[in-house]
Amino acid sequence: ESVLTQSPGTLSLSPGETATLSCRASQSVSSNFLAWYQQKPGQAPRLLIYATSSRATGIPGRFSGGVSGTDFTLTISRLEPEDFAVYYCQQYDSSPPGYTFGQGTKLEIK
Amino acid sequence: QVQLQESGPGLVKPSGTLSLTCVVSGGSVSNNNWWSWVRQPPGRGLEWIGEVHHSGGTSYNPSLASRVTISVDRSRDQFSLTLVSVTAADTAVYFCAKNHFYCLDVWGQGTTVTVSS
């Protein structure tokens, strides 16, 4: 079973800066199988990125996803006040079929 | 645009059975292949519980598989979660979600379930 480890646990930045969030998989993950979500307090998660780098419907272009080996990244450029939230990465496993989430990165205002 | 709404008791007694339903609106449960349940304990991360195909096929998180059943009712455009032998560790916000290309693209607002006597 592949485990996703997100870093850092908390990231403190100011509006206008660029955030880089990391998600490392313990085993090889197909680029089709990695997604990112944003969750604000009291709300359901919101899909941001799927298939490593495809933006979900309605997601601004300042959100982007990438990968290097088993290290996946979510980059948020020109941070807006509404971007401060918790971010989760998620992978799909085909055998057995199922979904696994990372433990989350909290992006807070500095 | 598909919307999801969870419903069910907010309080379940220890050793009892948790039962939740997710109603699909703005679309049909038969228009999408798979539908999932996810939970989030207070102050913690997300845990995928399992999924159901509109034909009735299922996949479950191995850590919960012995206690979980997910079913679909195409006539009512809804799917359901049953979790037996609950303990305080099952206290969480429970979300239903629509599967899409190996991710979950539409989520319900979530419903809080507390296990307590």
Side-chain angles (χ1 to χ4, degrees), chain B residues 15-104:
Chain B
S15 76
T17 298
L18 181 160
S19 296
L20 298 174
T21 296
C22 180
V23 175
V24 178
S25 60
S28 169
V29 73
S30 299
N31 285 352
N32 195 70
N33 283 339
W34 293 90
W35 306 84
S36 283
W37 286 97
V38 176
R39 70 179 182 179
Q40 185 170 37
R44 300 184 63 182
L46 301 166
E47 180 180 35
W48 179 77
I49 299 170
E51 62 185 357
V52 63
H53 190 266
H54 66 77
S55 66
T58 55
S59 296
Y60 299 129
N61 186 324
S63 68
L64 297 169
S66 63
R67 299 193 293 129
V68 170
T69 302
I70 299 176
S71 60
V72 65
D73 185 338
R74 288 179 292 180
S75 66
R76 297 184 177 184
D77 275 321
Q78 65 186 40
F79 58 105
S80 300
L81 167 69
T82 301
L83 182 65
V84 302
S85 304
V86 298
T87 70
D90 296 309
T91 293
V93 177
Y94 286 76
F95 298 98
C96 58
K98 170 177 153 305
N99 294 32
H100 168 72
F101 200 74
Y102 310 114
C103 64
L104 306 173

Side-chain angles (χ1 to χ4, degrees), chain A residues 30-82:
Chain A
S30 165
S31 60
N32 285 332
F33 293 174
L34 199 288
W36 290 91
Y37 301 83
Q38 176 193 69
Q39 187 179 33
K40 297 179 180 179
Q43 296 185 16
R46 173 193 183 195
L47 177 67
L48 299 174
I49 300 285
Y50 67 98
T52 297
S53 59
S54 296
R55 278 188 297 277
T57 302
I59 301 304
R62 49 201 184 75
F63 288 87
S64 63
V67 61
S68 176
T70 57
D71 290 337
F72 295 85
T73 56
L74 173 69
T75 301
I76 312 170
S77 305
R78 303 179 304 280
L79 283 167
E80 299 281 349
E82 62 267 25

